[in-house]
């Protein structure tokens, strides 16, 4: 019911690989945006994707890296340190599709973890081998995770947003490269483009609301 980015199994027209919760979350966010502009999004398609994420959600709202890890829930990447850049996306996606379990307290808990334990992501940033860092974190989760943190901040009450906007700004601004870009992983020839896009989409959401 979810989506994945590799199919190493049967290589069939309908992918046979394991669903990956952060990929499913990314697609669900795009589908919600499509729904907002009038595109019909089938309820069954959405529910199957949400269910796939729920199957991989642990009680503390960390998420398995993929459904193939269901018998290894305490493997490093499935623990909070490994889920740090992915929980933001999964929490945001399921919340906007009506998941009442993802409360403001859950969002705040994971935002607090993101900033308190930010070095678990930062220590992986710019490492060239995927998942070579502690908790099997890959470099490309850095700006991805912070972008979805910005989306989670938007869901909080206005009075709770500014603190997290300021924390997110303090993480991202010093990391701008001399050429004006941001990047976290040497991805083919587009690492600067996607890193910069994620950083800017996060930072624009850190602007404080103007007083009336």
């Amino acid at each position: 019911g979810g989506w994945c980015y590799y199919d190493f199994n049967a290589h069939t027209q309908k992918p046979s690989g394991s669903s990956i919760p952060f990929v499913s979350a990314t697609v669900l966010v795009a589908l919600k945006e499509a729904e907002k502009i009038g595109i019909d999004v089938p309820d069954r398609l959405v529910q199957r994707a949400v269910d796939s994420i729920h199957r991989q959600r642990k009680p503390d709202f960390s998420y398995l890296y993929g459904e193939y890890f269901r018998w290894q829930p305490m493997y490093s990447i499935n623990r909070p340190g490994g889920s740090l850049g992915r929980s933001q996306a999964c929490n945001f996606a399921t919340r906007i599709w009506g998941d009442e379990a993802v409360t403001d307290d859950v969002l705040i808990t994971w935002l607090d973890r993101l900033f308190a334990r930010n070095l678990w992501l930062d220590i992986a940033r710019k490492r060239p081998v995927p998942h070579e860092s502690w908790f099997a974190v890959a470099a490309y989760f850095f700006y991805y995770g912070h972008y979805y943190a910005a989306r989670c901040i938007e869901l909080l009450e206005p009075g709770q947003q500014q603190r997290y906007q300021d924390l997110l700004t303090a993480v991202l601004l010093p990391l701008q490269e001399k050429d004006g870009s941001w990047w976290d992983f040497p991805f083919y020839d587009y690492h600067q483009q996607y890193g910069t896009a994620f950083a800017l989409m996060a930072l624009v959401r850190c602007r404080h609301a103007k007083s009336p």
Side-chain angles (χ1 to χ4, degrees):
W3 286 270
C4 64
Y5 57 90
Y6 283 137
D7 181 9
F8 290 132
N9 296 335
H11 306 285
T12 50
Q13 182 176 4
K14 185 174 183 178
S16 61
S18 174
S19 65
I20 308 294
F22 73 89
V23 178
S24 301
T26 304
V27 175
L28 283 171
V29 173
L31 291 176
K32 177 58 74 173
E33 295 298 320
E35 185 183 65
K36 289 178 181 177
I37 62 172
I39 296 175
D40 182 39
V41 179
D43 291 340
R44 183 173 181 271
L45 181 146
V46 170
Q47 192 57 55
R48 292 183 71 220
V50 170
D51 289 345
S52 78
I53 296 175
H54 285 169
R55 288 195 302 271
Q56 299 174 76
R57 184 166 73 194
K58 296 167 65 175
D60 64 354
F61 288 84
S62 52
Y63 293 82
L64 305 183
Y65 188 81
E67 201 141 11
Y68 61 96
F69 272 119
R70 62 188 178 277
W71 306 123
Q72 298 172 283
M74 294 306 290
Y75 186 74
S76 59
I77 201 169
N78 303 322
R79 300 176 73 175
S83 189
L84 202 56
R86 298 179 291 108
S87 285
Q88 317 297 331
C90 295
N91 288 339
F92 178 74
T94 52
R95 167 76 172 256
I96 63 175
W97 281 106
D99 187 351
E100 295 181 357
V102 184
T103 62
D104 283 5
D105 285 344
V106 170
L107 297 177
I108 287 171
T109 293
W110 277 90
L111 287 168
D112 285 340
R113 285 179 173 174
L114 176 67
F115 296 116
R117 307 174 185 180
N118 203 263
L119 285 177
W120 288 125
L121 284 178
D122 191 61
I123 202 169
R125 188 171 54 88
K126 296 188 176 181
R127 288 179 180 249
V129 179
H131 306 293
E132 69 171 305
S133 191
W134 283 265
F135 287 108
V137 172
Y140 43 75
F141 286 117
F142 190 84
Y143 292 116
Y144 173 89
H146 287 87
Y147 165 68
Y148 280 104
R151 302 302 304 269
C152 289
I153 293 169
E154 289 182 308
L155 298 179
L156 300 178
E157 294 296 326
Q160 297 176 305
Q161 292 180 12
Q162 183 171 331
R163 173 175 178 264
Y164 294 105
Q165 289 170 330
D166 291 347
L167 287 168
L168 185 53
T169 300
V171 170
L172 296 180
L173 282 184
L175 299 179
Q176 187 176 25
E177 306 291 333
K178 291 181 179 180
D179 64 359
S181 70
W182 283 264
W183 67 274
D184 52 17
F185 183 74
F187 232 150
Y188 307 108
D189 63 350
Y190 53 79
H191 57 288
Q192 289 176 304
Q193 295 94 316
Y194 91 79
T196 303
F198 271 138
L200 290 176
M201 289 191 296
L203 286 169
V204 75
R205 290 172 167 83
C206 292
R207 292 174 170 173
H208 298 164
K210 294 182 179 180
S211 301

